[in-house]
Amino acid sequence: MRTTEEAEPGAEDGRAGAAARKREQHGWYFYDFACSVYSTSVLTVFLGPYLTAVAKAAADSEGYVHPLGIPVRAGSYFAYTVSVSVIVAVLIMPLVGAVADRTGRKKPLLAVTAYTGAAATAGMFFLDGDRYLLGGLLLIVANAALAVSMVLYNAFLPQISTPDERDTVSSRGWAFGYTSGALVLLLNLVLYQGHDSFGISEGVAVRICLASAGLWWGAFALIPLRRLRDRAVVREPGAGPAVSRWRQLVATLKDMRRYPLTLSFLLAYLIYNDGVQTVISQASVYGSEELELEQSTLIVAVLLVQVLAVVGALGMGRLARVYGAKRTILGSLAAWGLTLAAGYFLPARTPVWFFALAAMIGLVLGGSQALSRSLFSHLVPAGKEAEYFSAYEMSDRGLSWVGPLVFGLTYQVTGSYRDAIISLVFFFALGFVLLARVPVRRAVRAAGNPVPERI
């Protein structure tokens, strides 16, 4: 199945085509601007420590809660819930990707998933007392909706940019996201620090910060939904509307076996990105529970990450133009491993060292994610963008349940968040080795795409 407009946007002629492409790119950036606030304010800063505190309030005398009758240490509840949310996303993403490519209607599906996630996030305002089950449910819905929406969002990238533009366009998208994350987090800091002057309690301030991320997500999602456009598809003879969607999913999995080098990249990405996503979701828990840092310190640290991630995303995009995306990503993975090793030795109650760690994370975070996305876009056969990006999202957010599970299990067994954080070095080391073995130029040619001068 092919789109009537090829994924290669260079087929559009003249200035009008270039202007239309730029308009879509600018709209595309704004979905990162919309949803990154959830990743920053909710998943990275507030929800982990807050949901852990709610779970502890509901725990028995031995410190355990019992969702579905399963004994779970309250300090591990958030990590386990993140894992469950990702497993739910795994069950949905490949089907949504197949439906999007078969129907060509990415935009309506993006709207449904975006507003489902935004509504669940806004609903976190009602998370108080010992409602840890409500918190877990809302987290599962919001996290899964975000992951599915990113399948559709990322699938637009090959259609709105030429091969030589993709590193830059992808990096700018991440930069937009980190900019919005920093802006909203700064507002959150003002509200949280001054909650007494606003006449509200600390808990209410946190709940407002959580809910405001959902409102922001929903409001700014309107921009990409107005500017992005669906491409019509040519239906294959005999392709039915409903039953064939499941057949399409099976066909996608079989089709990916024809591109073993693309699968090799996905395997490497699955592993190292699992480490990235776990650091993002668990860093605040580590800071509050193990390092005994105040919530305001964690907010400032994550704000620092957001600012430097913009610099890192744009800076690593420039490095990729000189050294290629693969080499730049490999350098970032080495930096990730060293950063986590340093984090293991951080002394408690010393914010300055935590800020230094946050700065190191910020400089590699945005670039490693942006370049991984743009590199993968070169490995996707034309006309199969949403299907293949569903597999990518399974690696990006969909299969990133192993890291939180390892983190939670390590804490449950040892009672030490230091042991939990050092366990994540394995993901970056193995991902580095696997990525180094992928011949990316050959992989691009095997997917039938033109090979950029630097990759």
Side-chain angles (χ1 to χ4, degrees), residues 16-53:
R21 193 168 72 247
K22 291 296 184 184
R23 175 179 171 80
E24 281 197 275
Q25 289 172 6
H26 292 156
W28 186 82
Y29 299 150
F30 270 95
Y31 191 69
D32 252 325
F33 192 85
C35 70
S36 291
V37 172
Y38 167 84
S39 299
T40 303
S41 291
V42 177
L43 198 62
T44 304
V45 178
F46 289 106
L47 190 58
Y50 187 72
L51 185 55
T52 299

Coordinates of all heavy atoms in Angstrom, one line a residue, residues 16-53:
A16 N 5.6 26.9 -3.6 CA 4.4 26.6 -2.9 C 4.5 25.3 -2.1 O 4.0 25.2 -1.0 CB 3.2 26.5 -3.9
G17 N 5.1 24.3 -2.7 CA 5.3 23.0 -2.0 C 6.2 23.2 -0.8 O 5.9 22.6 0.3
A18 N 7.3 24.0 -1.0 CA 8.2 24.2 0.2 C 7.5 24.9 1.3 O 7.7 24.6 2.5 CB 9.5 24.9 -0.3
A19 N 6.7 25.9 0.9 CA 6.0 26.7 2.0 C 5.0 25.8 2.7 O 4.8 25.9 3.9 CB 5.3 27.9 1.3
A20 N 4.3 25.0 1.9 CA 3.3 24.1 2.6 C 4.0 23.1 3.5 O 3.5 22.8 4.6 CB 2.6 23.3 1.5
R21 N 5.2 22.6 3.1 CA 6.0 21.7 4.0 C 6.4 22.4 5.2 O 6.3 21.9 6.3 CB 7.2 21.2 3.2 CG 7.8 20.0 3.9 CD 8.8 19.3 3.0 NE 10.0 20.1 2.8 CZ 10.4 20.7 1.6 NH1 9.6 20.5 0.5 NH2 11.5 21.3 1.5
K22 N 6.9 23.7 5.1 CA 7.3 24.4 6.3 C 6.1 24.7 7.3 O 6.3 24.6 8.5 CB 7.9 25.8 5.9 CG 9.2 25.6 5.2 CD 10.3 25.1 6.1 CE 11.7 25.1 5.3 NZ 12.7 24.4 6.2
R23 N 5.0 24.9 6.7 CA 3.8 25.2 7.5 C 3.4 23.9 8.3 O 3.2 24.0 9.5 CB 2.6 25.6 6.6 CG 1.3 25.7 7.4 CD 0.1 26.1 6.5 NE -1.2 26.0 7.1 CZ -1.6 26.9 8.0 NH1 -0.9 28.0 8.2 NH2 -2.8 26.8 8.5
E24 N 3.5 22.8 7.7 CA 3.3 21.5 8.4 C 4.3 21.3 9.4 O 4.0 20.8 10.5 CB 3.2 20.3 7.4 CG 1.9 20.2 6.7 CD 1.7 18.8 6.1 OE1 2.2 18.6 5.0 OE2 1.1 18.0 6.7
Q25 N 5.6 21.5 9.1 CA 6.6 21.3 10.1 C 6.4 22.2 11.3 O 6.5 21.7 12.5 CB 8.0 21.7 9.5 CG 8.5 20.7 8.4 CD 9.7 21.1 7.7 OE1 10.3 22.1 8.0 NE2 10.1 20.3 6.7
H26 N 6.0 23.4 11.1 CA 5.8 24.3 12.3 C 4.6 23.8 13.1 O 4.7 23.9 14.3 CB 5.5 25.8 11.8 CG 6.8 26.4 11.2 ND1 6.7 27.4 10.3 CD2 8.1 26.1 11.3 CE1 7.9 27.8 9.9 NE2 8.8 27.0 10.5
G27 N 3.6 23.3 12.5 CA 2.5 22.8 13.2 C 2.9 21.5 13.9 O 2.5 21.3 15.1
W28 N 3.7 20.7 13.3 CA 4.2 19.4 13.9 C 5.0 19.7 15.1 O 4.8 18.9 16.1 CB 5.0 18.7 12.8 CG 5.5 17.3 13.2 CD1 4.8 16.2 13.1 CD2 6.8 17.0 13.6 NE1 5.6 15.1 13.4 CE2 6.8 15.6 13.8 CE3 8.0 17.7 13.9 CZ2 7.9 14.9 14.2 CZ3 9.1 17.0 14.4 CH2 9.1 15.6 14.5
Y29 N 5.8 20.7 15.1 CA 6.6 21.0 16.3 C 5.7 21.2 17.6 O 6.1 20.9 18.7 CB 7.4 22.3 16.2 CG 8.4 22.3 15.0 CD1 8.7 23.5 14.4 CD2 9.0 21.1 14.7 CE1 9.7 23.5 13.3 CE2 10.0 21.1 13.6 CZ 10.3 22.3 13.0 OH 11.2 22.3 12.0
F30 N 4.5 21.7 17.3 CA 3.6 22.1 18.5 C 3.0 20.9 19.2 O 2.5 21.1 20.3 CB 2.6 23.1 18.0 CG 3.0 24.5 18.2 CD1 3.6 25.2 17.1 CD2 2.9 25.2 19.4 CE1 4.0 26.5 17.2 CE2 3.3 26.5 19.5 CZ 3.9 27.2 18.4
Y31 N 3.0 19.7 18.6 CA 2.5 18.6 19.4 C 3.6 18.3 20.5 O 3.2 17.9 21.6 CB 2.2 17.4 18.5 CG 1.5 16.4 19.4 CD1 0.2 16.6 19.8 CD2 2.1 15.2 19.8 CE1 -0.5 15.8 20.6 CE2 1.4 14.3 20.7 CZ 0.1 14.6 21.1 OH -0.6 13.8 21.9
D32 N 4.8 18.3 20.1 CA 5.9 18.2 21.2 C 5.7 19.3 22.2 O 5.8 19.1 23.4 CB 7.3 18.3 20.6 CG 8.0 17.0 20.6 OD1 7.8 16.2 21.5 OD2 8.7 16.8 19.6
F33 N 5.4 20.5 21.8 CA 5.1 21.6 22.7 C 4.0 21.4 23.6 O 4.0 21.7 24.8 CB 4.9 22.9 21.9 CG 4.9 24.2 22.6 CD1 6.1 24.9 22.9 CD2 3.7 24.7 23.1 CE1 6.1 26.1 23.6 CE2 3.7 25.9 23.8 CZ 4.9 26.6 24.1
A34 N 2.9 20.7 23.1 CA 1.7 20.4 23.9 C 1.9 19.3 24.9 O 1.7 19.4 26.1 CB 0.6 20.0 22.9
C35 N 2.5 18.1 24.4 CA 2.4 16.9 25.3 C 3.7 16.8 26.1 O 3.6 16.0 27.1 CB 2.3 15.7 24.4 SG 3.7 15.2 23.4
S36 N 4.8 17.5 25.8 CA 6.0 17.4 26.6 C 5.8 17.9 28.1 O 6.5 17.5 29.0 CB 7.1 18.1 26.0 OG 7.5 17.4 24.8
V37 N 4.8 18.7 28.3 CA 4.5 19.2 29.6 C 4.1 18.0 30.5 O 4.4 18.0 31.7 CB 3.4 20.3 29.6 CG1 2.9 20.7 31.0 CG2 3.9 21.5 28.9
Y38 N 3.3 17.1 29.9 CA 3.0 15.9 30.7 C 4.2 15.1 31.1 O 4.4 14.8 32.3 CB 2.1 14.9 29.9 CG 1.9 13.6 30.5 CD1 1.0 13.3 31.5 CD2 2.8 12.5 30.1 CE1 0.9 12.1 32.1 CE2 2.7 11.3 30.7 CZ 1.7 11.1 31.7 OH 1.6 9.8 32.3
S39 N 5.1 14.9 30.2 CA 6.4 14.1 30.5 C 7.2 14.9 31.6 O 7.8 14.2 32.4 CB 7.2 13.9 29.2 OG 6.5 13.2 28.3
T40 N 7.2 16.2 31.5 CA 8.1 17.0 32.4 C 7.4 17.1 33.8 O 7.9 16.7 34.8 CB 8.4 18.3 31.8 OG1 9.0 18.2 30.5 CG2 9.3 19.1 32.7
S41 N 6.3 17.8 33.8 CA 5.7 18.2 35.1 C 5.0 17.0 35.8 O 5.1 16.9 37.0 CB 4.6 19.3 34.9 OG 5.2 20.5 34.5
V42 N 4.4 16.1 35.0 CA 3.7 15.0 35.6 C 4.6 13.8 35.9 O 4.8 13.4 37.0 CB 2.5 14.6 34.7 CG1 1.8 13.4 35.3 CG2 1.5 15.7 34.6
L43 N 5.1 13.3 34.8 CA 5.8 12.0 34.9 C 7.2 12.2 35.6 O 7.6 11.4 36.4 CB 6.0 11.3 33.6 CG 6.4 9.9 33.6 CD1 5.3 9.0 34.2 CD2 6.6 9.4 32.1
T44 N 7.9 13.3 35.3 CA 9.2 13.4 35.8 C 9.3 14.1 37.2 O 10.1 13.7 38.0 CB 10.1 14.3 34.8 OG1 10.1 13.6 33.5 CG2 11.5 14.4 35.3
V45 N 8.4 15.1 37.4 CA 8.5 15.8 38.7 C 7.5 15.5 39.8 O 7.9 15.0 40.8 CB 8.5 17.4 38.4 CG1 8.5 18.2 39.7 CG2 9.6 17.8 37.4
F46 N 6.3 15.7 39.5 CA 5.3 15.7 40.6 C 4.7 14.3 40.9 O 4.5 14.0 42.0 CB 4.2 16.7 40.3 CG 4.6 18.1 40.4 CD1 4.8 18.9 39.3 CD2 4.8 18.7 41.6 CE1 5.2 20.2 39.4 CE2 5.2 20.0 41.7 CZ 5.4 20.8 40.6
L47 N 4.3 13.6 39.8 CA 3.5 12.4 40.1 C 4.2 11.3 40.9 O 3.6 10.6 41.7 CB 2.9 11.8 38.8 CG 1.9 10.7 39.0 CD1 0.7 11.2 39.8 CD2 1.4 10.3 37.6
G48 N 5.5 11.1 40.6 CA 6.3 10.0 41.2 C 6.3 10.2 42.7 O 5.8 9.3 43.5
P49 N 6.8 11.3 43.2 CA 6.8 11.5 44.7 C 5.4 11.6 45.3 O 5.2 11.1 46.4 CB 7.6 12.8 44.9 CG 8.4 12.9 43.6 CD 7.6 12.3 42.5
Y50 N 4.5 12.3 44.6 CA 3.1 12.5 45.1 C 2.4 11.1 45.2 O 1.8 10.8 46.2 CB 2.4 13.5 44.3 CG 1.0 13.8 44.9 CD1 1.0 14.6 46.0 CD2 -0.1 13.4 44.3 CE1 -0.3 15.0 46.6 CE2 -1.4 13.7 44.9 CZ -1.4 14.5 46.0 OH -2.6 14.8 46.6
L51 N 2.4 10.3 44.1 CA 1.7 9.0 44.1 C 2.4 8.1 45.1 O 1.7 7.3 45.8 CB 1.7 8.4 42.7 CG 0.9 7.1 42.5 CD1 -0.5 7.3 43.0 CD2 1.0 6.7 41.1
T52 N 3.7 8.2 45.3 CA 4.4 7.4 46.3 C 3.9 7.7 47.7 O 3.6 6.9 48.5 CB 5.9 7.6 46.2 OG1 6.4 7.1 44.9 CG2 6.6 6.7 47.3
A53 N 3.7 9.1 48.0 CA 3.2 9.5 49.3 C 1.8 9.0 49.5 O 1.4 8.6 50.6 CB 3.3 11.0 49.4

